């Protein structure tokens, strides 16, 4: 039965991909800039239900054919630039697949250690992506590393409403992960997953075609992971991606659908919305005795609806200053410990951001945008960077978040307490001619690193006797585009102090037996030897990118990591006791990649 089930899942996935890959033919206009989630959609073009109206309008009478040919012969020849432009604007076939990212990678993330000496394991050089290629300062504003092999099936439709100035649109969005398919895990949910399916209604009250103003309502029938609070992706909260340990709903069963309402005005916006999640909860029930006499109580585990509420606003204070703020409240099930059984677990918090910018847009994560596969206004997902010699543009942003989590008090039986979780980030991006530089500083305390667990001991506050250290890192990067060669050399480096949990103690002889646990992320822990403390982590990478075409690039890089918090278990000299010891802290790797984005 299991083998038949796995075969059925694979056949189902193959059938879906085959059916959706049949392209329809439609003419596409020049690409428009992508619109972020919540922005008003571009006003649709006039809709005609007649078949091939262009051909009907273009069909001349036979008698006019000769004069028209003479007129064309008398016209001067087209200029080369005009021919190139016409070639670039050649109509293309419409396809339901978009935002496709293909990467061929070959390399070794660590050639100084033998396989098995460090974790995660680093085998010999091979083709394929590895988690260790991603350094802690990479892609801070996205969940993706840039080396994925994925595509998105977007079945999209948009039509004017029957009410004047009302617009309707809907999209079924499914992510296809080819790496998971090649892994042959027989898990169709890892190969095919929802990537932001939605329905949207927008009522226009003003503005223009490029920036319409009005009231919009977005409905997420499957999942709301794209609907979050916060701005820099790495410190956002309120997501629902349980597979990546980014769900605000612990013990989430299935997905979390919801809805969002937003008003876009002249230079400002305001939104509110909600999510619903099914979470397993323990509830008391009364059980009648035999014969209807007497009764007892016991507990039962049931799936119950929990709610999350989100709201926020933002405005351009001036042409150079932008402000954002948001708040949210999320129910997270109920406690199962006997002394607090049935009490509500919840998190609420606030977040804010200020951006100073000139000739550079306000930063937004592409992971929050709605997919619009409109043949009349297709999204240009991967625009190549444009450089203007002598032009200076910059953006400086700062944001902060504070969460309040209701957890079981570790030190007081039968009580709950509010535990704070804090995070902050600052970024500076500057572009001058062909030169780009950036500086990032991020701070997260231990409760915020573990905000979705929640806390170090799940659902309990940190013990008063425990000592914790917060995470903080600073990173800088620079690259320069050589236009004549289409080459972009770059370099980036960062210093990180990871978050830690420390228990202090001494043995009968007065020797320090304190233990420190380094917490990099939820589920990624490193236990240090007795009495040892954390050491800063240094990471750096040098890279060279060659743009082969508007969609394809070749990239080579060398990377260095020095992490003296890596340990392993070894037998003591007697061969009877396992002791934790440090491994060599230096890790050197390299990689070569061919990447296509279309």
């Amino acid at each position: 039965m299991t083998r038949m089930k796995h075969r059925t899942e694979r056949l189902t996935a193959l059938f879906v991909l085959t059916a959706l890959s049949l392209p329809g033919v439609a003419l596409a206009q020049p690409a428009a800039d992508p619109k972020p989630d919540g922005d008003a959609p571009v006003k649709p073009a006039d809709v005609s239900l007649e078949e091939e109206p262009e051909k009907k309008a273009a069909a001349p009478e036979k008698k006019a054919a000769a004069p028209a040919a003479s007129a064309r012969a008398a016209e001067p020849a087209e200029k080369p630039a005009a021919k190139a432009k016409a070639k670039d604007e050649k109509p293309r076939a419409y396809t339901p697949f978009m935002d496709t990212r293909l990467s061929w990678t070959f390399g070794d993330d660590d050639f100084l250690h033998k396989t098995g000496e460090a974790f995660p394991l680093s085998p010999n050089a091979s083709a394929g992506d590895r988690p260790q290629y991603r350094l802690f300062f990479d892609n801070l504003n996205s969940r993706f590393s840039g080396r994925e092999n994925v595509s998105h099936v977007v079945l999209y439709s948009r039509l004017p409403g029957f009410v004047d100035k009302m617009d309707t649109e809907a999209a079924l969005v499914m992510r296809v992960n080819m790496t998971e398919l090649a892994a042959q895990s027989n898990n169709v949910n890892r190969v095919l997953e929802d990537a932001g399916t939605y329905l949207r209604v927008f009522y226009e009250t003003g503005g223009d075609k490029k920036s319409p103003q009005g009231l919009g309502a977005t409905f997420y029938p499957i999942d709301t992971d794209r609907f979050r609070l916060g701005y820099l992706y790495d410190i956002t909260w309120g997501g629902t991606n349980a597979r990546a340990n980014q769900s605000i709903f612990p013990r989430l069963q299935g997905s979390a659908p919801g809805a969002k309402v937003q008003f876009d005005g002249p230079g400002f916006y305001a939104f509110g919305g909600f999510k619903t999640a099914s979470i397993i909860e323990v509830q008391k029930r009364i059980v009648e005795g035999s014969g209807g006499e007497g009764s007892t109580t016991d507990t039962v585990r049931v799936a119950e609806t929990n709610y999350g509420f989100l709201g926020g606003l933002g405005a351009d204070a001036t042409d150079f200053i932008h402000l954002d703020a948001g708040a949210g409240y999320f129910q997270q099930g109920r406690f199962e410990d006997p002394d607090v059984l049935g009490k509500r677990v919840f998190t609420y918090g606030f977040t804010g951001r200020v951006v100073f910018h000139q000739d550079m847009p306000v930063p937004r994560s592409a992971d929050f945008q709605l997919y619009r596969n409109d043949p009349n206004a297709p999204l240009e997902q991967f625009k190549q960077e444009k450089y203007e010699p002598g032009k200076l543009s910059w953006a400086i942003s700062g944001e902060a978040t504070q969460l309040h989590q209701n957890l079981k008090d570790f030190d007081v039986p039968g009580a709950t307490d509010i535990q704070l979780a804090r995070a902050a980030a600052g970024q500076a991006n500057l572009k001058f001619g062909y030169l780009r530089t950036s500086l990032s500083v991020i701070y997260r305390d231990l409760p915020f690193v573990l905000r979705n667990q929640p806390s170090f001991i799940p659902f309990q506050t940190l013990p008063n006797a425990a000592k914790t250290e917060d995470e903080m890192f600073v990173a800088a990067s620079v690259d320069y585009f050589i236009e004549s060669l289409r080459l972009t050399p770059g370099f980036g480096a960062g210093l990180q102090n990871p978050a830690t949990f420390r228990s202090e103690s001494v043995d009968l002889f007065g020797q320090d037996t304190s233990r420190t646990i380094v917490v990099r992320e939820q589920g990624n822990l490193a236990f240090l030897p007795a009495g040892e403390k954390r050491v800063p982590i240094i990471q750096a990478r040098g890279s060279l990118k060659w743009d082969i075409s508007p969609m394809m690039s070749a990239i080579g890089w060398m990377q260095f990591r020095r992490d003296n918090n890596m340990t392993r278990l070894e037998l003591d000299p007697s061969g009877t006791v396992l002791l934790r010891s440090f491994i060599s802290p230096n890790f050197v790797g390299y990689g070569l990649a061919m990447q296509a984005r279309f």
Side-chain angles (χ1 to χ4, degrees), residues 31-35 92 98 370-372 374 377-381:
D33 291 339
K35 305 292 290 182
R92 63 190 183 203
M98 64 179 296
L370 297 178
Y371 280 95
R372 292 186 172 95
D374 187 353
L379 286 179
E380 191 173 352
Q381 289 286 334

Side-chain angles (χ1 to χ4, degrees), residues 14 39 56 71 202 231 268 339 354 438-439 458 477 488 576 578:
L14 180 62
D39 284 4
K56 290 183 179 181
F202 181 78
Y231 311 98
F268 74 93
D339 56 340
V354 57
S438 67
L439 176 68
S477 65
T488 307
T576 58
L578 283 173

Side-chain angles (χ1 to χ4, degrees), residues 21 55 128 137 157 165 228 265 352 360 437 439 568:
S21 63
K55 292 184 178 180
F137 54 81
S157 181
K165 297 184 178 181
R228 298 187 177 201
M360 188 174 286
T437 63
L439 176 68
R568 65 177 179 180

